[in-house]
Amino acid sequence: MTEDHPPALLPQNSRSDCDSDAMSDGIEIQQHGPVPASDPVEKGGEHHDFIALRAGGAFVALDVSKGMRPIILYAGIDMPGVSPHELAVLATRQHAPGSASVPLRGSLLNEIGTGISGASGLIAHRSGEDWAIDLRIADVDQPTAHEVVIRCEDRNTGIGSEHSLYLDPKTGMLVCNTTICNHAENELEVDWCAALSLPFDARMTRFLSFTGKWSGEFAVEEVPDFQGSIVRENKSGRTSHNVFPGGILAAPGTTELQGPASGFHLAWSGNHRLRVDRHSDGHCVVQLGEMTFPGEIRLAKGESYSTPELLACWSDRGLNGVSQQFHNYLTECVSDNRAFNKPRPVHYNTWEAVYFNHNEAALMELAALAADVGAERFVLDDGWFGSRRHDGAGLGDWWVSEEIYPQGLHPLASKVRELGMEFGLWVEPEMVNPDSDLYRAHPDWVLAAQGVEAVPFRGQLTLDLTKPEVFDYLFERITDLVGTYGIGYLKWDMNRDTNHPASSGRGAMHRQTKAVYRLFEKLRSVHPALEIESCSSGGARADFGIMTHADRIWTSDNNDARQRHHIMRGASHFFPMRVLGNHVGPRTCHITGRKFSMPFRVASAFFGHMGMELDLRSENASDLETLKRGIALHKQHRELIHSGDFWRLPSASNTNLVGCVAKDRDEALFGYAKLESELETLPAKVCFGGLDPARKYRVKMIWPLFNPSVSTPSIVDAASLGGEGTVFSGAALMQHGMQPPLTYPDTCIIYHLKACE
Ligand code: GLA
């Protein structure tokens, strides 16, 4: 196998060009580009070559001495003026009694041949031979000051590797991956290859892991200091609800606002393995890579396998520092700008209003109501095609149901456009119901391991997109729908785990994931204005791999206005507000059965890419008016919400305080949600964040549209928050904080701050 589709986030010149000639060139350090590739010194009688990558406030120092194993001496926040060779001396490993007689030198993968007893980042063999791999540097290429490509070889096993490390100059994000090449005659089986074994400062003893479930995505689970290994594996065939491919390491005293922290993430939407190893010698190493099935990656002579990209960043500004780097990197380097060159349109989605009960007249009525309250995009959800009257039939038959829509979607799409909205459509291209014309015609088009029954899962199976005929069928169907109905937006869903995906008898999740990316890419290149949302039973396909091809994430099916605060706060560790779909749900939440007022529902959907998902016909006139005013307010402030820095602020366990602050700190919005009753007599002070301490800000309360205080006197009157507001200094607002009014639970106040000259 040779990669048909190179990793997407590394710059072109950092991508693998591994081929069978790489081995015969011998060992050589290449010097390229505007900066010296290496910085040679003598250390302990040995010749050493060092590389320093510095960009965006980050610093990666490597020992790249030819014929030796490549080593990351340091990866973290820049230490201006510090040279790699002083770090090499400072990090001198000494002999430890009871261990190997010489200090063991690891590598970028800590492969078995290094003798390192901890987790190996590369497990490969030829039918049980050639597994003691020991990769030594053959050549090093440094095209620019902030990137390096290190090529290694193991002459003994005939295996080569290529490691790309790129520091993004704008954000300081490290983007790296590894390519393994087989140079020998016999097939090489790669069982595991991490993108890199990346060392982290062992003083960051707290591990924040992101877990969750359907309707409870992005739950933060903190693992305190530990010795040994934490391994989190996902083989659900999608990014998954319960094992997010990323995490954060933080020091004991680190808060949202201060202290050292670092984040890492695998930009990949298939299976993965994440491990954090704390060795007894004081080293902490993170590995993230694709988890493949036995025999899935087999390389013939000259073939190569490239891992997905690992992203990592460091901050001394607390957890927000890490999150803001991820947000900036996604914005600047991952997303294309088709979506962000225009304001994020407010959605109306039909799912919770009608489910599978489609009726043209009812949908037209909903469209009119949606437009009236301010929707700008109408998304027709599941149920419009084939025999899809329930979730057990029709998937795969991507033709408009003639029974429901005798004239196709034209009347509805035209009505939507007449009302001034864009028309969007739900699809689930990778799936098929056995009860469908497609499956009856092509039962062999699904991924299936021979002799193994598919796990029942929402009555559907996964199509084999590695088959060109399947890929072409899906492309043809979707491109036809997009063209015929002038569709501006697809909600692209994926509603089952793919448990043992095989194609032609071989594990195929790697190829399937790449094929899905290719399908997105092909559709987007043919329809340059088309936006796509990544949905997978809510947020089970949210990662930077899919976001190379998509514009929005459906964060969760859970529109419970209280729980949504936790889900959005969790997701914000990696994703910026502009890509996180957040909808106003019905008065009685369909998932939790809890009831929420319209002001609270509006405020809970205010931060994020706002939308609605409720039956507007059953809302009363006063709630519709509140909704309309809330949407208008969101539109007034969405540029700030979608382009400012997002801040999670320290919040008592019964509240959620978040904010968006303009990059020039001229303006800010803060949302303060009371989720449970008071813990003490009065609510704790709210300390804003991210402001300029030296400037003055006029603070107003812009939501709700009434005074939510249940006691008088309150700050709302004292500071005229509902009227002209009051001017306070940034320092006072951040350090002293402001007393919020006493309110009932399920109240969310939105403060607007504008700097005064
Ligand atoms: C998934 C999505 C929902 C909805 C349904 C339709 O559950 O997350 O938003 O689109 O599928 O079947």
Side-chain angles (χ1 to χ4, degrees):
M1 95 187 292
T2 287
E3 297 296 323
D4 48 348
H5 191 258
L9 301 177
L10 284 161
Q12 208 63 44
N13 49 12
S14 298
R15 292 181 186 168
S16 167
D17 60 2
C18 189
D19 60 41
S20 48
D21 294 338
M23 300 284 292
S24 53
D25 288 340
I27 293 171
E28 180 192 356
I29 300 278
Q30 296 179 352
Q31 302 221 354
H32 276 264
V35 286
S38 61
D39 180 9
V41 295
E42 300 299 318
K43 180 184 166 238
E46 283 176 352
H47 177 88
H48 284 262
D49 291 287
F50 295 110
I51 279 188
L53 305 179
R54 280 195 157 94
F59 173 35
V60 177
L62 298 119
D63 184 338
V64 291
S65 309
K66 64 182 181 180
M68 298 180 81
R69 300 172 189 135
I71 294 182
I72 295 180
L73 298 165
Y74 174 84
I77 294 170
D78 196 5
M79 298 182 283
V82 170
S83 69
H85 44 87
E86 58 180 304
L87 292 174
V89 180
L90 288 169
T92 298
R93 291 205 184 199
Q94 304 174 90
H95 175 251
S99 59
S101 312
V102 288
L104 291 180
R105 195 178 151 103
S107 76
L108 297 182
L109 290 177
N110 286 343
E111 60 277 11
I112 293 172
T114 62
I116 300 282
S117 59
S120 180
L122 174 64
I123 310 232
H125 59 97
R126 294 192 172 82
S127 304
E129 294 182 358
D130 289 341
W131 48 267
I133 304 159
D134 185 6
L135 294 159
R136 304 298 182 116
I137 296 171
D139 70 74
V140 177
D141 188 2
Q142 194 177 6
T144 65
H146 46 264
E147 57 191 308
V148 63
V149 179
I150 302 165
R151 296 189 187 88
C152 299
E153 64 177 79
D154 178 4
R155 288 174 183 279
N156 191 33
T157 58
I159 295 168
S161 66
E162 197 169 287
H163 312 275
S164 300
L165 291 91
Y166 167 76
L167 263 189
D168 176 53
K170 286 193 205 138
T171 60
M173 185 67 73
L174 173 68
V175 186
C176 43
N177 86 329
T178 287
T179 296
I180 297 296
C181 324
N182 180 18
H183 298 306
E185 285 304 327
N186 292 344
E187 213 170 48
L188 179 73
E189 214 158 295
V190 181
D191 291 342
W192 162 242
C193 184
L196 217 65
S197 291
L198 194 58
F200 282 86
D201 188 330
R203 288 171 295 182
M204 289 194 279
T205 50
R206 290 161 57 203
F207 172 43
L208 270 60
S209 163
F210 293 83
T211 174
K213 56 169 187 145
W214 171 75
S215 87
E217 291 83 346
F218 296 106
V220 188
E221 179 187 72
E222 178 158 344
V223 182
D225 196 4
F226 64 94
Q227 273 291 313
S229 312
I230 288 195
V231 180
R232 307 213 62 212
E233 292 185 342
N234 161 47
K235 59 180 173 59
S236 66
R238 47 180 168 170
T239 322
S240 89
H241 286 109
N242 53 339
V243 189
F244 179 73
I248 293 179
L249 286 166
T254 295
T255 66
E256 289 285 10
L257 297 168
Q258 58 196 28
S262 52
F264 39 86
H265 168 56
L266 191 73
W268 185 242
S269 316
N271 296 332
H272 67 262
R273 176 181 291 128
L274 180 164
R275 51 181 310 148
V276 182
D277 291 280
R278 286 193 192 286
H279 298 275
S280 53
D281 65 2
H283 286 83
C284 173
V285 177
V286 169
Q287 289 181 9
L288 258 165
E290 183 183 10
M291 194 167 72
T292 53
F293 288 97
E296 186 170 352
I297 308 292
R298 281 192 197 147
L299 306 178
K301 184 177 183 188
E303 290 186 336
S304 60
Y305 162 75
S306 291
T307 68
E309 282 135 342
L310 164 64
L311 311 178
C313 61
W314 302 267
S315 160
D316 55 5
R317 296 181 299 114
L319 305 180
N320 278 300
V322 165
S323 298
Q324 287 169 10
Q325 267 171 284
F326 277 108
H327 299 173
N328 291 340
Y329 183 70
L330 188 90
T331 305
E332 306 261 353
C333 307
V334 180
S335 312
D336 75 25
N337 268 334
R338 73 184 64 201
F340 304 112
N341 285 337
K342 66 175 191 193
R344 302 293 63 231
V346 172
H347 280 207
Y348 177 77
N349 180 291
T350 62
W351 180 236
E352 292 203 6
V354 299
Y355 292 105
F356 291 106
N357 188 17
H358 283 217
N359 166 298
E360 219 175 38
L363 287 162
M364 291 213 190
E365 190 188 345
L366 284 169
L369 287 166
D372 187 54
V373 293
E376 297 161 306
R377 181 182 274 159
F378 180 91
V379 183
L380 185 65
D381 211 284
D382 199 354
W384 55 267
F385 53 93
S387 56
R388 189 76 170 167
R389 304 293 80 78
H390 53 84
D391 69 6
L395 277 180
D397 298 339
W398 299 110
W399 279 272
V400 178
S401 161
E402 287 177 10
E403 184 195 332
I404 312 277
Y405 299 98
Q407 299 170 67
L409 295 175
H410 291 294
L412 181 60
S414 306
K415 170 84 177 171
V416 163
R417 277 191 277 272
E418 261 167 41
L419 290 163
M421 297 184 288
E422 250 180 53
F423 187 60
L425 196 63
W426 179 95
V427 288
E428 195 179 357
E430 294 142 82
M431 296 291 158
V432 66
N433 286 122
D435 183 1
S436 67
D437 294 342
L438 184 73
Y439 187 79
R440 282 183 280 275
H442 301 287
D444 56 329
W445 275 17
V446 296
L447 288 169
Q450 240 190 349
V452 181
E453 266 185 45
V455 174
F457 209 123
R458 216 191 186 206
Q460 60 195 59
L461 299 168
T462 311
L463 287 169
D464 181 353
L465 269 72
T466 73
K467 284 190 159 75
E469 58 276 28
V470 179
F471 184 96
D472 293 346
Y473 165 77
L474 292 173
F475 174 73
E476 187 280 322
R477 279 294 74 231
I478 301 169
T479 201
D480 179 68
L481 286 162
V482 171
T484 305
Y485 296 112
I487 289 163
Y489 176 86
L490 289 176
K491 174 177 175 182
W492 186 308
D493 212 336
M494 199 270 204
N495 280 317
R496 73 156 290 162
D497 288 353
T498 300
N499 309 89
H500 18 70
S503 180
S504 314
R506 296 273 302 277
M509 207 58 229
H510 173 80
R511 285 178 291 148
Q512 172 83 357
T513 309
K514 292 251 170 180
V516 171
Y517 288 164
R518 263 200 330 274
L519 186 57
F520 270 77
E521 207 172 273
K522 190 165 177 188
L523 283 161
R524 284 163 73 89
S525 66
V526 176
H527 305 283
L530 177 69
E531 289 182 31
I532 307 184
E533 173 178 62
S534 174
C535 171
S536 182
S537 324
R541 189 152 64 185
D543 61 78
F544 281 42
I546 203 73
M547 289 311 288
T548 311
H549 311 284
D551 309 283
R552 188 185 202 247
I553 291 164
W554 179 223
T555 320
S556 177
D557 282 351
N558 190 347
N559 295 319
D560 176 301
R562 197 188 301 158
Q563 289 189 349
R564 195 68 176 205
H565 283 273
H566 300 294
I567 296 168
M568 296 297 287
R569 190 173 174 109
S572 77
H573 284 87
F574 294 89
F575 299 99
M577 287 297 115
R578 62 155 138 181
V579 303
L580 293 174
N582 198 6
H583 292 177
V584 175
R587 168 171 283 271
T588 304
C589 174
H590 290 191
I591 286 175
T592 62
R594 293 198 290 213
K595 291 190 185 336
F596 299 103
S597 71
M598 185 56 87
F600 185 55
R601 283 182 275 159
V602 164
S604 302
F606 194 81
F607 290 94
H609 181 175
M610 192 176 187
M612 293 167 263
E613 191 154 340
L614 72 170
D615 188 347
L616 293 169
R617 295 167 300 183
S618 46
E619 296 291 322
N620 64 38
S622 133
D623 280 351
L624 285 175
E625 184 54 28
T626 304
L627 178 58
K628 190 173 184 166
R629 293 179 71 178
I631 289 172
L633 192 70
H634 172 83
K635 287 180 184 170
Q636 196 184 329
H637 295 287
R638 66 184 157 191
E639 200 192 324
L640 171 57
I641 297 169
H642 298 149
S643 69
D645 285 333
F646 183 76
W647 291 87
R648 287 179 309 275
L649 292 157
S651 310
S653 62
N654 65 330
T655 64
N656 181 37
L657 178 66
V658 297
C660 287
V661 181
K663 299 263 181 214
D664 60 7
R665 297 193 285 178
D666 213 41
E667 196 182 359
L669 288 166
F670 292 94
Y672 165 75
K674 166 77 62 67
L675 304 175
E676 303 290 346
S677 331
E678 292 312 333
L679 304 175
E680 295 175 333
T681 324
L682 286 170
K685 275 185 300 186
V686 162
C687 291
F688 297 121
L691 303 172
D692 183 342
R695 293 171 83 179
K696 303 249 185 236
Y697 293 87
R698 178 171 296 280
V699 183
K700 291 184 183 176
M701 181 188 75
I702 56 170
W703 195 265
L705 302 170
F706 54 88
N707 182 350
S709 180
V710 294
S711 69
T712 45
S714 86
I715 178 94
V716 178
D717 306 308
S720 184
L721 292 178
E724 281 312 292
T726 299
V727 174
F728 299 102
S729 71
L733 290 168
M734 291 192 292
Q735 282 159 39
H736 179 277
M738 186 164 118
Q739 175 67 57
L742 188 63
T743 65
Y744 289 129
D746 296 337
T747 300
C748 183
I749 296 174
I750 300 174
Y751 298 97
H752 177 254
L753 282 71
K754 180 81 184 128
C756 323
E757 293 320 318

